[in-house]
Amino acid sequence: MLDACAQLLDEIGYDALTTTRIAERAGVAIGSVYQFFPDKRAIAQALTQRNLEVFVSRVGQRFITEEYAGWWAAVDAIIDEYVHMLRHVPGFRSLRFGDVVDVHLLDPAADNNAVISGRLRGLLLSEFGLADSDELDRAVVVAVEAADAVLKLAFRRDPEGDAEIVAEAKKLVRGYLSSQLS
């Protein structure tokens, strides 16, 4: 059902998405959809959670298998994974991390980018031994918000993501974090 939802998001968008369409695409009875999900928002939420886990897992795997000169190279890898998902993961470009549906889709107490920031902050702390602080927390939140805005611009300009704008997002985030983490 989540795969059917993702495919439909790419084809028709969230506003036209219905549980009936999801059931038809998944080849299941509508009752089966409602057995697991009360509405299309709940399905989108489950898909967003799955995408978040895929993203964090892919970034974590890169951290394990690749050597980075420093945290700045890891930031590039994080942005590269996000761009890869926007280009290749069904439904991700339409849904992203749920901001299209609800800025609190991942967690009712925190906005979606704050959830992403927390997960990325944890990866950076565990991999690069940065000092844990309120300043680091704030810097990662601002960096995620800035990257999100600039990457949205890149994909508005080009369906595959304007490579020059993606490069500018990396420079912006690296420059900002460098000024905050020194």
Side-chain angles (χ1 to χ4, degrees):
M1 287 183 262
L2 295 181
D3 291 339
C5 178
Q7 293 166 1
L8 286 167
L9 283 167
D10 282 345
E11 293 169 19
I12 62 173
Y14 183 77
D15 290 338
L17 185 70
T18 65
T19 53
T20 301
R21 285 182 165 164
I22 293 169
E24 288 170 357
R25 177 62 59 94
V28 301
I30 190 69
S32 296
V33 172
Y34 288 123
Q35 180 181 359
F36 298 101
F37 306 104
D39 53 27
K40 76 176 186 177
R41 183 183 184 284
I43 299 169
Q45 185 175 31
L47 181 58
T48 299
Q49 285 286 1
R50 181 175 81 175
N51 286 341
L52 174 60
E53 295 310 318
V54 167
F55 175 70
V56 171
S57 174
R58 288 177 59 97
V59 169
Q61 187 62 37
R62 284 184 77 160
F63 282 12
I64 291 168
T65 60
E66 297 174 12
E67 290 291 324
Y68 297 107
W71 61 263
W72 57 90
V75 167
D76 284 356
I78 291 167
I79 291 172
D80 289 342
E81 283 303 329
Y82 186 75
V83 168
H84 172 83
M85 287 184 70
L86 287 167
R87 289 178 179 153
H88 301 291
V89 174
F92 190 70
R93 189 178 306 177
S94 300
L95 194 57
R96 299 180 196 272
F97 288 123
D99 56 314
V100 173
V101 177
D102 179 352
V103 295
H104 294 280
L105 191 65
L106 291 170
D107 183 336
D111 67 66
N112 299 334
N113 277 351
V115 173
I116 302 304
S117 298
R119 298 291 294 271
L120 294 178
R121 181 177 168 265
L123 284 171
L124 290 171
L125 284 170
S126 66
E127 286 297 314
F128 297 99
L130 300 174
D132 193 9
S133 67
D134 289 340
E135 291 79 16
L136 174 65
D137 186 47
R138 186 173 40 259
V140 173
V141 167
V142 170
V144 166
E145 290 290 343
D148 184 47
V150 176
L151 292 172
K152 282 178 182 172
L153 171 64
F155 280 84
R156 278 195 315 268
R157 288 204 171 171
D158 179 343
E160 289 300 308
D162 182 310
E164 291 175 348
I165 300 295
V166 170
E168 291 299 316
K170 289 178 181 181
K171 285 196 296 191
L172 180 127
V173 170
R174 274 188 261 123
Y176 171 73
L177 287 176
S178 290
S179 73
Q180 298 301 307
L181 302 178
S182 336

